[in-house]
């Protein structure tokens, strides 16, 4: 599901549409909420409230919902924000994708794509702030900024640029960061709406050393060391050459926005050789968790999963569900260490938020 300014690559879309939509076994997880429309980002807010971004099913069906009691036998869900734009068709929709929450109840949400690229006049590509009362305001038009940045740096990916598809957001340490899956960038968005590109993620390489599109950063998590860890999808390379996704470490304090040489070299690989990553988070024990879109080369039978990686040994990997998930997206870890995942995030009806069984 290689993300570009148009969404997922058409050839991959056709392969995914062949997936049988019968439910998988749920021995390794419990469904916390069902009947969701393209659930993506997950984030815990104050009081143990779990928020989920729903990209919707077209038109203005995008929304942000709140789940209370996610760890109980009777969780309750309500919509916090509704009426967000949703674009797409054939079971794969984009809209509000990434989500991050502050301790005071403020949410940050990132909308996919770019109005400049699509020709729409909407909130596509915008970073939204939602106050505790549910009031929404646009902070910055990240999509159009990144589209223009890639147009100025076409040489970095001549077959892909210009492009933009903001997908993940993280509010941490008084700053707000956005990962753009189309532009291959990590951005800093300031409170006044100004945007700076901090880091660029290079396309993976084929065995002969030639770049393969597209790195596709899909998630941001703050590590125990205070650095940012960004996971990539790297779908095209993974399908052709085996697991090619990576988790990069970025020290935002070392960034020099405007210095292209620093921007191109700021991200350093932390964990490599992973299946395509679609969401990530750190747990209270310091472990890194990432949803894996497919653990094998057959997208008609993807065996999607979640991998656990110890912070002190990124070469160690543990799969948590036995491949029972189907096209997962966002990951969030509760204060008690319970892992939650957006499941059926695309192509499969009845989107879910699930809680993984303890291991």
């Amino acid at each position: 599901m290689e993300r570009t300014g148009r969404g997922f690559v058409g050839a991959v879309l056709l392969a995914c549409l062949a997936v049988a939509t019968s439910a998988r076994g749920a021995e390794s997880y419990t469904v916390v909420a069902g009947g969701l429309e393209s659930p993506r980002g997950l984030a815990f807010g104050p009081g143990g409230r779990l928020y989920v971004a729903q990209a919707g099913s077209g038109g203005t069906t995008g929304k942000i919902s709140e789940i209370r009691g996610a760890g109980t036998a009777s969780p309750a869900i309500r919509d916090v924000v509704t009426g967000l734009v949703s674009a797409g068709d054939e079971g794969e929709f984009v809209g509000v994708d990434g989500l991050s929450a502050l301790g005071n109840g403020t949410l940050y949400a990132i909308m996919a794509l770019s109005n400049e690229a699509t020709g729409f006049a909407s909130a596509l590509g915008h970073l939204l702030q939602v106050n505790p009362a549910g009031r929404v305001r646009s902070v910055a038009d990240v999509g159009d900024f990144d589209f223009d940045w890639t147009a100025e740096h076409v040489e970095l990916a001549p077959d892909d640029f210009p492009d933009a598809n903001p997908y993940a957001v993280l509010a941490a340490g008084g700053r707000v960061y956005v990962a753009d899956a189309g532009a291959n960038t990590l951005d800093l968005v300031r409170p006044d709406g100004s945007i700076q590109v901090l880091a660029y993620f290079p396309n993976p390489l084929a065995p002969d050393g030639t770049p393969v599109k597209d790195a596709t950063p899909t998630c941001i998590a703050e590590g125990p060391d205070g650095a940012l860890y960004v996971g990539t999808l790297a779908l095209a390379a993974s399908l052709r050459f085996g697991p090619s996704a990576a988790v990069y470490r970025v020290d935002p304090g070392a960034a020099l926005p405007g210095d292209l040489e620093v921007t191109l070299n700021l991200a350093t690989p932390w964990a490599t050789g992973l299946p395509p990553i679609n969401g990530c988070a750190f747990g209270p024990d310091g472990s890194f968790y990432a949803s894996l879109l497919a653990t094998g080369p057959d997208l008609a039978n993807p065996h999607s999963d979640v991998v656990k990686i110890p912070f002190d040994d990124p070469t160690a990997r543990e799969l948590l569900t036995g491949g029972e998930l189907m096209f997962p997206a966002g990951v969030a870890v509760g204060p008690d260490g319970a892992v939650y995942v957006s499941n059926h995030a695309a192509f499969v009806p009845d989107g879910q938020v699930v809680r993984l069984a303890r291991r």
Side-chain angles (χ1 to χ4, degrees), residues 217-288:
T218 53
C219 65
I220 318 168
E222 184 179 29
D225 59 350
L228 304 180
Y229 290 79
V230 180
T232 67
L233 194 71
L235 184 66
S238 294
L239 293 178
R240 290 174 60 187
F241 308 113
S244 303
V247 180
Y248 287 88
R249 183 184 185 274
V250 178
D251 177 4
L256 289 176
D259 186 322
L260 186 60
E261 186 67 22
V262 173
T263 299
L264 296 181
N265 293 282
L266 188 63
T268 57
W270 177 71
T272 59
L274 291 159
I277 295 171
N278 206 18
C280 61
F282 278 96
D285 67 347
S287 296
F288 180 85

Side-chain angles (χ1 to χ4, degrees), residues 57-297:
S57 56
T60 55
T61 58
K63 63 178 68 173
I64 300 171
S65 304
E66 174 193 271
I67 304 172
R68 296 198 181 197
T72 70
S74 302
I77 185 168
R78 72 178 184 94
D79 295 336
V80 176
V81 176
T82 60
L84 299 177
V85 64
S86 174
D89 55 25
E90 300 295 340
E92 201 287 303
F93 293 89
V94 295
V96 56
D97 285 335
L99 197 60
S100 187
L102 298 179
N104 64 3
T106 299
L107 301 176
Y108 285 91
I110 189 67
M111 301 290 293
L113 303 181
S114 159
N115 292 305
E116 188 171 346
T118 61
F120 295 161
S122 69
L124 288 176
H126 283 234
L127 174 66
L128 307 179
Q129 183 190 71
V130 184
N131 72 11
R135 184 173 301 170
V136 181
R137 77 175 183 92
S138 174
V139 177
D141 186 349
V142 180
D144 282 356
F145 176 90
D146 286 346
F147 187 86
D148 291 341
W149 189 88
T150 59
E152 295 171 359
H153 298 90
V154 173
E155 73 281 358
L156 296 177
D159 294 334
D160 303 325
F161 288 172
D163 195 9
N165 187 12
Y167 188 74
V169 60
L170 175 68
R175 293 184 164 194
V176 180
Y177 304 95
V178 174
D180 191 310
N184 287 355
T185 56
L186 176 69
D187 299 339
L188 170 66
V189 183
R190 299 190 178 278
D192 64 0
S194 60
I195 306 168
Q196 295 176 315
V197 175
L198 301 185
Y200 177 80
F201 303 94
N203 286 345
L205 301 178
D208 64 2
T210 58
V212 181
K213 71 172 191 181
D214 198 356
T216 319
T218 53
C219 65
I220 318 168
E222 184 179 29
D225 59 350
L228 304 180
Y229 290 79
V230 180
T232 67
L233 194 71
L235 184 66
S238 294
L239 293 178
R240 290 174 60 187
F241 308 113
S244 303
V247 180
Y248 287 88
R249 183 184 185 274
V250 178
D251 177 4
L256 289 176
D259 186 322
L260 186 60
E261 186 67 22
V262 173
T263 299
L264 296 181
N265 293 282
L266 188 63
T268 57
W270 177 71
T272 59
L274 291 159
I277 295 171
N278 206 18
C280 61
F282 278 96
D285 67 347
S287 296
F288 180 85
Y289 296 86
S291 61
L292 305 178
L293 198 68
T295 59

Side-chain angles (χ1 to χ4, degrees), residues 11-42:
V12 175
L13 173 61
L14 292 176
C16 292
L17 289 176
V19 169
T21 59
S22 59
R24 290 180 178 269
E27 296 83 359
S28 59
Y29 64 82
T30 299
V31 177
V32 173
L36 308 180
E37 294 185 326
S38 303
R40 302 287 162 75
L42 291 177

